[in-house]
Amino acid sequence: SPNAVHATAERLSADWPAATVIGAVGASTRDAATAELPGARATSIVAPDDGDESGSEGFWRAWLATGRGARRVLVLRAATGRDWIIDQFRAADADVDALAVYRRSPHSLPAGDRRRLLGWMGGGVLPITIVSSAEAVGAILEQVRGLEGAADWLQRGLAIATHPRVAQRLHEAGFAHVEAVDPHDSAVIRKLESIRG
């Protein structure tokens, strides 16, 4: 993910080894790797095409399409997350190490933000929530716990998901109106511009 790239770039003391392929789960991760990892421009980067589904499944399809094999794989990731891609490489006889390079932690709403949220709720307009990670769905609802009616207000509004797995998680969490878009800023902006009212 881009977060894993940022955390890795902060820790690298030398250029990325040119013979070590970089795998990216989407265009944002690919672009972050190219921009932030020293030496990344000199190596191959495997990522889903811009129009393809991002995420582990999209990366795996892109990887298989290259015809490459992997003997050793290092997965740079959050402290918690899915093991699907690790399982795929292990099933293909690769030696896989997973290294947590960052930790996700839910944000606590300061008092001023809580007051602002209550004001929006009282304004009679339903929200539009943009969600780019399945784990964020629970974190969003956890943040508004204790604000009476806030979770229901969010769940009645429009949720824009940047991945089908995120859309599924939103549905499971009770969000009534979910629309999936490509995980690019331009696609999210086009969706926002298309909304009337």
Side-chain angles (χ1 to χ4, degrees):
S1 71
N3 286 331
V5 172
H6 305 326
T8 300
E10 290 174 355
R11 291 165 173 79
L12 278 182
S13 58
D15 282 359
W16 189 268
T20 301
V21 175
I22 296 172
V25 295
S28 297
T29 306
R30 178 199 63 215
D31 295 347
T34 302
E36 297 180 37
L37 296 177
R41 293 180 190 273
T43 191
S44 296
I45 299 179
V46 176
D49 290 334
D50 285 347
D52 291 346
E53 178 187 357
S54 62
S56 296
E57 291 84 351
F59 163 73
W60 186 246
R61 283 192 296 277
W63 175 259
L64 292 176
T66 68
R68 296 175 186 265
R71 292 188 308 275
R72 298 196 65 202
V73 176
L74 175 62
V75 178
L76 302 167
R77 58 180 286 179
T80 59
R82 297 171 67 222
D83 289 337
W84 188 88
I85 197 66
I86 293 170
D87 295 340
Q88 303 312 302
F89 275 114
R90 285 185 175 151
D93 295 324
D95 181 17
V96 181
D97 290 309
L99 178 63
V101 293
Y102 73 100
R103 180 178 310 279
R104 295 183 182 108
S105 58
H107 172 72
S108 294
L109 289 178
D113 289 344
R114 293 168 68 88
R115 284 192 299 275
R116 188 176 305 117
L117 181 60
L118 289 169
W120 293 337
M121 289 169 57
V125 177
L126 290 176
I128 299 171
T129 307
I130 301 167
V131 187
S132 61
S133 127
E135 290 82 10
V137 176
I140 290 167
L141 294 175
E142 182 65 30
Q143 284 183 60
V144 299
R145 183 178 297 195
L147 286 177
E148 186 177 345
D152 178 63
W153 179 71
L154 286 171
Q155 290 165 321
R156 287 186 292 117
L158 171 64
I160 297 173
T162 60
H163 191 278
R165 192 171 52 254
V166 177
Q168 178 183 349
R169 183 73 59 87
L170 285 161
H171 282 298
E172 291 168 354
F175 284 77
H177 309 287
V178 178
E179 296 190 26
V181 299
D182 288 335
H184 306 291
D185 291 345
S186 59
V188 174
I189 291 167
R190 279 194 306 275
K191 172 53 70 179
L192 291 171
E193 290 174 343
S194 74
I195 297 168
R196 304 274 180 213

